[in-house]
Amino acid sequence: MNKLALKHLKSGTDVRGVAVGDNITLTDEAVFAISRAFVKWLSLKYGRTSFKIAVGHDSRISAERVFTKVKEGVLSSGSDLVYTGLSSTPSMFILLKKSDLGCNAAVMITASHLPYNRNGLKFFTPDGGLDGKDVDEILEIAESGDFLSGCGEYSEQSFIDDYSRILVEEVRAACGTDRPLEGKKIIVDAGNGAGGFFAEKVLSPLGADTEGSQFLQPDGYFPNHIPNPEDKAAIESISRATVKCGADLGIIFDTDVDRAGAVDANGKEINRNRLIALLAAILMKEKTGVIVTDSVTSDGLTKFIEKLGGKHVRYQRGYRNVIDKSLELNANGIYSPLAIETSGHAAFIDNYFLDDGAYLITKLLICLASLKDGESLTDLIKDLPEPAESDEVRITFGNASKNFRQEGKQVIEDLKKLALKTSGMKLAETNYEGVRVNFSKGDGDGWFLLRMSVHDPVMPINFESDTVGGNKIMAAKLLSILDTYAFLNTENLKKYTEI
């Protein structure tokens, strides 16, 4: 077999690639080799040669093809495989902790919210999801072709019912009653991903009326909207449905249910800063501590958390980064109950620091069940200072760009130096990634954060202002600076300033 080149398939802590149509990169050969490499990696880590590995997938149209090659790779390496069928990503880890399947590791076939033609592999051990270094090692083994051989056994056993019961019992135990959501109308938008189970298997047993839920049927073409709590069309869809059917709460999941968002009875989104603030308010009632978020959260969120008696730590984008920071704080004796990205990845100390959208929603359900008549979840965040404007613009690198990461780093370092000596601009005290610059009231009355994308040759820019029109003032100042770099394509930023 020819030596494979597979490093390009790494995406943070996952393997991802094009799985459908032309120019397929997640080929049968690649999936087979990576699956065998995972078994070899497990062998090197644990000093054994045989494992029992659970494998599940979301609703993507390439799931069957990819699973077939994972199955062949695991079994031909001498390990047993338990096929769990349609699954959520978090359930694949929870089964390692709370099932009687006897599995030692798990693989989830998913590409999260990416377009229908993509797919990928996500790996778990009982210690949690693998990190980027682990994935590097697996890909190196896959490229080397140094595998174990054998003949494992195959079986099938769904876990989603058991996983749902775990969530149901979590809510029941906290509320002290079997049907704490009796009289509540709660609807789910699964976006035709893997989250449709939540309405029937979690909400209904808790007493909720789920009529009006939508797009629960798995469909890997995602015909109604992208299953992504950050997507504008997706939020508008669940918002309309919630208001139309008079629901108390609308819930939206991403494709593999490791992220979630919500809307209140008025259709207003509980997402990003508002979701983080709501979870902080819930958690701080129990015990104050540190909430770790990604870098694009608002100054108003910081003030809100501090008013609750807690502390807000902004850290690098990437859900593993915020989780690792929260773990670090706890290891040093500093209580941190939540690590959360504005994207909806939320990991709680009482749930193995697993980013689990369904578990996130159970926190909201427990709080919702405790409210008195006339009270709303969003009453808990009525004091959250919210900006007048909040936007994101993404700029790219020109086709002639040869080393976009080095070039992006140069831009960030130059901006840091410029902010230190320019009137009206002030470099933020902490810059865990990119460069965050604050502007005085007459110069934009807010801030921007320019950073490198975690995965792509893109520089996202987040703007936030307490004055209407402030974002465009800051954007125009930034555009005049960035236009001096020949390797940047600033067309999107220019269009934003002209709208």
Side-chain angles (χ1 to χ4, degrees), residues 237-248:
S237 179
I238 182 61
S239 178
R240 287 193 301 269
T242 301
V243 174
K244 181 180 178 180
C245 67
D248 298 286

Side-chain angles (χ1 to χ4, degrees), residues 440-477:
S440 57
K441 195 169 184 64
D443 292 294
D445 195 19
W447 54 266
F448 73 69
L449 172 69
L450 175 71
R451 60 184 176 85
M452 284 298 303
S453 168
V454 176
H455 307 301
D456 304 313
V458 172
M459 296 191 82
I461 312 166
N462 293 89
F463 296 97
E464 182 179 294
S465 176
D466 290 328
T467 300
V468 174
N471 280 355
K472 289 188 179 180
I473 293 174
M474 293 184 289
K477 293 177 185 292

Side-chain angles (χ1 to χ4, degrees), residues 52 73 105 122 199 215 249 319 342 414 430 436 442 463 492:
K52 192 173 186 179
K122 190 172 184 66
F215 316 140
L249 184 69
Y319 68 93
T342 48
D414 289 349
T430 56
R436 186 177 180 121
F463 296 97
N492 288 341

Side-chain angles (χ1 to χ4, degrees), residues 10-53:
K10 181 187 176 185
S11 178
T13 58
D14 302 356
V15 167
R16 291 180 184 175
V18 177
V20 174
D22 298 329
N23 303 314
I24 290 176
T25 57
L26 195 69
T27 62
D28 287 355
E29 189 178 26
V31 175
F32 179 67
I34 292 168
S35 302
R36 297 195 73 184
F38 180 49
V39 178
K40 179 61 180 288
W41 182 87
L42 290 170
S43 178
L44 294 172
K45 180 177 176 65
Y46 293 107
R48 298 169 46 190
T49 57
S50 181
F51 301 87
K52 192 173 186 179
I53 300 174

Side-chain angles (χ1 to χ4, degrees), residues 178-322:
D178 280 353
R179 294 175 66 82
L181 300 179
E182 198 80 63
K184 302 289 186 184
K185 188 173 185 66
I186 304 171
I187 65 169
V188 174
D189 183 331
N192 303 110
F197 73 92
F198 199 85
E200 175 191 354
K201 299 180 185 297
V202 178
L203 292 176
S204 291
L206 292 170
D209 175 1
T210 64
E211 186 176 357
S213 292
Q214 59 185 16
F215 316 140
L216 306 184
Q217 189 65 29
D219 184 336
Y221 285 104
F222 311 129
N224 294 290
H225 61 69
I226 298 170
N228 182 358
E230 286 191 293
D231 181 70
K232 183 179 180 181
I235 286 294
E236 288 177 350
S237 179
I238 182 61
S239 178
R240 287 193 301 269
T242 301
V243 174
K244 181 180 178 180
C245 67
D248 298 286
L249 184 69
I251 298 164
I252 184 165
F253 294 113
D254 76 338
T255 318
D256 61 329
V257 202
D258 60 359
R259 294 189 295 135
V263 298
D264 66 14
N266 297 314
K268 186 169 183 179
E269 67 181 270
I270 306 173
N271 222 344
R272 300 178 67 83
N273 290 293
R274 289 170 59 79
L275 178 61
I276 298 169
L278 180 55
L279 293 172
I282 292 170
L283 294 171
M284 295 300 163
K285 283 185 177 181
E286 302 168 3
K287 183 179 178 181
T288 58
V290 178
I291 306 297
V292 179
T293 74
D294 57 11
S295 58
V296 300
T297 45
S298 71
D299 293 336
L301 178 64
T302 301
K303 295 174 183 176
F304 181 80
I305 293 172
E306 290 175 349
K307 188 175 180 180
L308 294 171
K311 184 179 179 182
H312 178 202
V313 170
R314 289 193 187 98
Y315 201 57
Q316 294 169 274
R317 290 275 285 187
Y319 68 93
R320 282 300 314 184
N321 291 327
V322 295

Side-chain angles (χ1 to χ4, degrees), residues 19 26 31 62-70 109 119-121:
L26 195 69
V31 175
S62 56
E64 183 176 352
R65 176 183 72 81
V66 176
F67 169 69
T68 297
K69 304 314 293 186
V70 173
I109 300 170
N119 216 330
L121 305 173

